[in-house]
Amino acid sequence: MKTDHRSPCPISSFLDLWGDRWTLIIIRDMLVGKRRFSDLEAGNERVPASILANRMKQLTELGVAKRVQYSERPPRYEYHLTDKGKALRPVLIAMSNWSEENLDDRWHTPDWFREGRGAPGRN
Amino acid sequence: MKTDHRSPCPISSFLDLWGDRWTLIIIRDMLVGKRRFSDLEAGNERVPASILANRMKQLTELGVAKRVQYSERPPRYEYHLTDKGKALRPVLIAMSNWSEENLDDRWHTPDWFREGRGAPGRN
DNA sequence: ACAGTAACTTTCAAATTGAAAGTTTGATTC
DNA sequence: GAATCAAACTTTCAATTTGAAAGTTACTGT
């Protein structure tokens, strides 16, 4: 994915980084409390593994997630959101609001998500 | 562009519709007050005409914009945002906030945009 | 030895992007 | 009245991106 900036506009710059169909879905799942590749892969929308790997690399390079080893042997890694990543939550909430008000039959966004927490038991 | 829903989640549904690099830039320009194809095409980020035409059709089909004739001869059309389209402004403001807080050297979003207006003289 | 698990990587056909040039409908200028 | 201009698209096509499926690596557990 190209991530360089088309203009100094903060909106277009945001879209240069996050303007695709998968990245913010991954962020959503991480805000909910998912950390592992297999967990993220198994989400509701079925991100293809090739895209997930690609995006995790990008998230890491951009400082929105950190790759952390959680097992020595076998070597295994998980991802933690940084503050920069956690700061994306208001954008996702604004998107939710629009969808709930303008599309039919969408799930209602849980209060714990709107209030800044992860899923109960995951957080 | 595919626009069908991957799941009933309001966030993923939002991204099914608006998750690409151009659509929300077009919405931004329309919120600022641009209505004509040539105006939108000449924006800061240079949307390719083929993509712009494609997206305007999509915006129209999804009820976010309306195609309105403004000249009989020669026949000429412009686009007006509907309430559904205007309701996207808070999402763009949330994106702006994130970029201004987390990226370097971005433009500052004008107050009239944050306050729900178009560019002075355009609105 | 053999199956299982987690985190990826590879492959490749199909879909999307975007730069450039072309089309349509008429108004205006030479 | 022929040529130029203008606005709103449409077409073309090479290059990039997507995503389904299968494969790889580094182990653990039976």
Side-chain angles (χ1 to χ4, degrees), chain B residues 11-31:
Chain B
I11 294 170
S12 81
S13 296
F14 185 96
L15 294 168
D16 289 332
L17 300 181
W18 317 122
D20 78 306
R21 290 163 52 75
W22 290 112
T23 312
L24 291 178
I25 287 189
I26 297 168
I27 298 282
R28 176 202 64 187
D29 283 347
M30 293 186 76
L31 284 168

Side-chain angles (χ1 to χ4, degrees), chain B residues 48-63:
Chain B
S50 51
I51 293 191
L52 181 56
N54 179 293
R55 293 303 189 276
M56 294 322 291
K57 193 168 297 176
Q58 195 198 327
L59 292 178
T60 303
E61 284 167 8
L62 292 170

Side-chain angles (χ1 to χ4, degrees), chain A residues 34-54:
Chain A
K34 295 185 184 176
R35 289 157 161 25
R36 309 226 167 136
F37 195 95
S38 53
D39 262 7
L40 293 164
E41 201 181 356
N44 237 301
E45 293 83 8
R46 286 23 263 316
V47 203
S50 51
I51 293 192
L52 180 56
N54 179 292

Side-chain angles (χ1 to χ4, degrees), chain A residues 1-19:
Chain A
M1 264 229 311
K2 277 207 293 185
T3 55
D4 47 305
H5 298 311
R6 283 168 290 184
S7 92
C9 167
I11 295 172
S12 81
S13 297
F14 185 97
L15 294 169
D16 289 331
L17 301 180
W18 318 122

Side-chain angles (χ1 to χ4, degrees), chain B:
Chain B
M1 264 229 313
K2 276 208 293 185
T3 55
D4 46 307
H5 298 312
R6 284 168 290 184
S7 91
C9 167
I11 294 170
S12 81
S13 296
F14 185 96
L15 294 168
D16 289 332
L17 300 181
W18 317 122
D20 78 306
R21 290 163 52 75
W22 290 112
T23 312
L24 291 178
I25 287 189
I26 297 168
I27 298 282
R28 176 202 64 187
D29 283 347
M30 293 186 76
L31 284 168
V32 160
K34 296 184 182 176
R35 291 157 159 24
R36 309 225 167 137
F37 195 94
S38 54
D39 262 7
L40 293 165
E41 201 180 357
N44 238 300
E45 293 84 6
R46 284 27 259 318
V47 204
S50 51
I51 293 191
L52 181 56
N54 179 293
R55 293 303 189 276
M56 294 322 291
K57 193 168 297 176
Q58 195 198 327
L59 292 178
T60 303
E61 284 167 8
L62 292 170
V64 155
K66 256 187 99 167
R67 190 161 175 271
V68 177
Q69 187 158 22
Y70 70 87
S71 155
E72 287 275 1
R73 24 201 43 262
R76 292 283 142 86
Y77 300 87
E78 61 181 14
Y79 299 90
H80 294 181
L81 274 184
T82 63
D83 288 344
K84 211 164 159 175
K86 291 177 189 165
L88 287 165
R89 190 188 296 253
V91 178
L92 300 191
I93 291 174
M95 291 177 171
S96 272
N97 289 340
W98 187 89
S99 291
E100 291 188 26
E101 287 160 21
N102 294 282
L103 302 176
D104 295 330
D105 303 325
R106 299 299 91 196
W107 283 337
H108 188 262
T109 303
D111 289 337
W112 48 258
F113 189 85
R114 289 179 184 281
E115 288 160 8
R117 279 173 273 122
R122 279 206 109 108
N123 181 251

Side-chain angles (χ1 to χ4, degrees), chain A residues 99-118:
Chain A
S99 292
E100 292 188 24
E101 287 160 21
N102 294 283
L103 301 177
D104 295 332
D105 303 326
R106 300 299 91 197
W107 283 338
H108 187 261
T109 303
D111 288 338
W112 49 258
F113 188 86
R114 289 179 184 282
E115 288 161 7
R117 279 174 273 123

